Amino acid sequence: MKKYLVILSAMLWLGAAAQNTDTPLRVIIPAENGMPAEAANYLQNRLMMLVTGHATGVEEYGTSQFYVTAKTFTESKDIVGSAPAMFSMNLVVTLYLADIIDGKLHSSMTFNARGVGESETKAYINAFRRMNINDPKVRAFVEDGRKRVIDYYTSQGGVIIRQAQMLASQREYERALFMLAAVPSSCGSVYADAQSAMADIYKKYVDYNGQKLLAQARSIWAAKQDREGAAEAGALLAEIDPDASCRASAEALGKEIQSRIGEEWTLTLKQYNDSVSLEKQRIDAARQVGVAYGNHQQPETTNFVH
């Protein structure tokens, strides 16, 4: 049976339309549900409607370690009537709020859904269509989840920052930035402290990454001092952050390559946009490193730790 996994990060939107929040949650349809891809897509959209108010067009975030998911159990499946035969399915749907890092379950709720259709896929979709995402109990489940996320970061903020700094000391910069980028701005002083720590760790990250890129570029250029080698080395040098401590060395290597290849070879190094706050650009860049790391954290089961 082909596994199907959809993971999409989103900003959690709760209560009335005017009440929004930056509390990030992911929406995940786990692989082990084994439902048709079209039905899984539809369920994803329904969950997106539940946590954001939008089924599509939501900006993707990979910074949250918390996610909402649904697990379905087929209570009964029958074929009824004829010409054409119809599939009738009774599902038990359980919603979960869980932690993507340690697999801990924070809350759950269960309800029944029934669907009838000309195929099993359509029966699934019609069952999910009948899910009332405006039901007070369902909304209360999401609201409780939001509160749990905020409480977690408010109470554990200092611990999270110290863990991130320890990870950075071990050169696990991406994971450290992911942890800090996940702290919502609604957490006040914890958020401010996390942003400050993220800026410090990002500086260490760009220095470390820059040295790696420079070493790779030097190795390539030493082995192939021709146009092909220049192109490969130049591509690596161009990725070095403007704030990296090895910036001057990268420029020197670029000039060495140019002197060998000729004036027609140019190296375009990465630059910050002067029209935007440099600090904001650095924080945004640090956040994107965390997002990239977070997007690779994909739980494969719903076997949670209680």
Side-chain angles (χ1 to χ4, degrees):
M1 178 171 55
K2 182 178 180 180
K3 291 186 175 182
Y4 186 82
L5 171 63
V6 176
I7 178 165
L8 181 64
S9 305
M11 303 305 287
L12 180 62
W13 192 338
L14 298 166
Q19 181 189 7
N20 56 23
T21 174
D22 71 340
T23 309
L25 284 179
R26 298 175 183 236
V27 174
I28 300 173
I29 301 176
E32 71 269 20
N33 267 324
M35 68 185 71
E38 187 179 349
N41 273 326
Y42 190 86
L43 179 57
Q44 174 204 344
N45 290 340
R46 294 296 284 171
L47 290 181
M48 289 295 295
M49 287 292 294
L50 172 62
V51 301
T52 70
H54 302 279
T56 58
V58 180
E59 184 177 356
E60 186 171 346
Y61 288 83
T63 57
S64 180
Q65 67 185 69
F66 295 93
Y67 65 99
V68 171
T69 187
K71 189 173 184 179
T72 62
F73 170 75
T74 304
E75 196 170 44
S76 66
K77 179 171 64 174
D78 301 297
I79 299 177
V80 297
S82 59
M86 303 292 283
F87 286 80
S88 175
M89 301 184 69
N90 289 302
L91 304 176
V92 178
V93 182
T94 303
L95 301 181
Y96 300 98
L97 173 72
D99 188 324
I100 201 169
I101 297 298
D102 59 20
K104 183 178 179 180
L105 174 64
H106 288 272
S107 60
S108 65
M109 71 165 295
T110 299
F111 55 90
N112 297 317
R114 180 176 183 273
V116 178
E118 295 179 356
S119 66
E120 186 173 326
T121 297
K122 290 182 178 179
Y124 265 114
I125 290 174
N126 288 331
F128 297 146
R129 183 177 287 121
R130 294 171 64 89
M131 292 168 53
N132 183 4
I133 60 176
N134 293 315
D135 184 286
K137 292 181 180 180
V138 178
R139 303 306 299 176
F141 162 78
V142 182
E143 179 64 26
D144 177 66
R146 172 182 176 271
K147 290 178 180 177
R148 288 173 183 266
V149 171
I150 294 297
D151 289 346
Y152 170 81
Y153 285 114
T154 301
S155 64
Q156 298 296 313
V159 174
I160 292 169
I161 291 171
R162 288 191 294 273
Q163 287 177 339
Q165 290 168 337
M166 181 188 69
L167 288 169
S169 71
Q170 299 169 350
R171 294 183 174 176
E172 293 189 48
Y173 299 110
E174 292 91 344
R175 184 179 177 187
L177 292 171
F178 164 67
M179 293 177 64
L180 296 172
V183 178
S185 62
S186 53
C187 290
S189 61
V190 174
Y191 173 77
D193 291 343
Q195 293 285 288
S196 177
M198 188 161 62
D200 291 341
I201 290 174
Y202 182 67
K203 173 58 178 170
K204 295 175 182 177
Y205 167 77
V206 299
D207 284 346
Y208 175 70
N209 197 50
Q211 290 289 353
K212 282 176 47 179
L213 291 168
L214 178 59
Q216 291 170 6
R218 281 174 171 162
S219 178
I220 289 173
W221 178 240
K224 294 190 295 185
Q225 294 193 4
D226 53 20
R227 294 186 182 280
E228 181 182 352
E232 293 177 12
L236 292 169
L237 294 175
E239 289 302 310
I240 295 176
D241 190 277
D243 272 350
S245 58
C246 67
R247 180 73 172 197
S249 297
E251 292 175 344
L253 179 58
K255 291 178 180 178
E256 178 186 329
I257 295 173
Q258 185 180 50
S259 67
R260 176 83 176 186
I261 300 302
E263 290 297 326
E264 71 274 13
W265 187 88
T266 59
L267 173 64
T268 303
L269 295 176
K270 186 186 296 184
Q271 300 288 338
Y272 282 126
N273 183 351
D274 292 337
S275 66
V276 183
S277 165
L278 293 181
E279 187 62 24
K280 180 180 183 301
Q281 290 182 75
R282 293 185 185 106
I283 291 294
D284 288 345
R287 183 174 297 277
Q288 288 308 308
V289 175
V291 167
Y293 178 90
N295 280 334
H296 285 88
Q297 308 310 299
Q298 301 181 2
E300 296 180 355
T301 73
T302 50
N303 297 321
F304 304 115
V305 177
H306 294 267

